[in-house]
Amino acid sequence: MPQRGDGGSLLPPSDKPVRSNILTDTEWRRIGAGLRLTYRELQVALCVFNDQSEAKIAGTLGISEHTVHAHLRAIYS
């Protein structure tokens, strides 16, 4: 699979679903690929899209709030 310069994959694996009530998994994967997001960055973006706070995202994904914030910085850049 192609890699970004930082080692993250360009597109989430198709066997890992991305959940949203508005867009399909395929649509989210296209968005992620177009924005060159890693799978985890795409998960964080989806949580933001679903109006979750950084604390809620951290709990949902099992990561620290600091890590969520780092992913958000990467997404926004």
Side-chain angles (χ1 to χ4, degrees):
M1 182 176 288
Q3 297 290 309
R4 284 179 23 158
D6 64 3
S9 68
L10 292 173
L11 188 64
S14 60
D15 64 334
K16 293 186 180 181
V18 180
R19 299 287 179 224
S20 170
N21 294 330
I22 304 295
L23 301 172
T24 67
D25 287 358
T26 301
E27 291 168 324
W28 274 108
R29 283 191 188 87
R30 285 184 187 146
I31 290 168
L35 296 174
R36 299 181 50 101
L37 301 179
T38 66
Y39 179 63
R40 184 61 95 182
E41 289 168 352
L42 183 56
Q43 287 179 312
V44 170
L46 176 59
C47 289
V48 170
F49 181 81
N50 289 331
D51 201 30
Q52 292 184 10
S53 67
E54 287 186 23
K56 175 69 175 169
I57 295 168
T60 298
L61 300 179
I63 58 178
S64 73
E65 287 184 54
H66 177 77
T67 302
V68 171
H69 191 73
H71 285 307
L72 289 171
R73 276 192 314 247
I75 292 166
Y76 294 142
S77 66

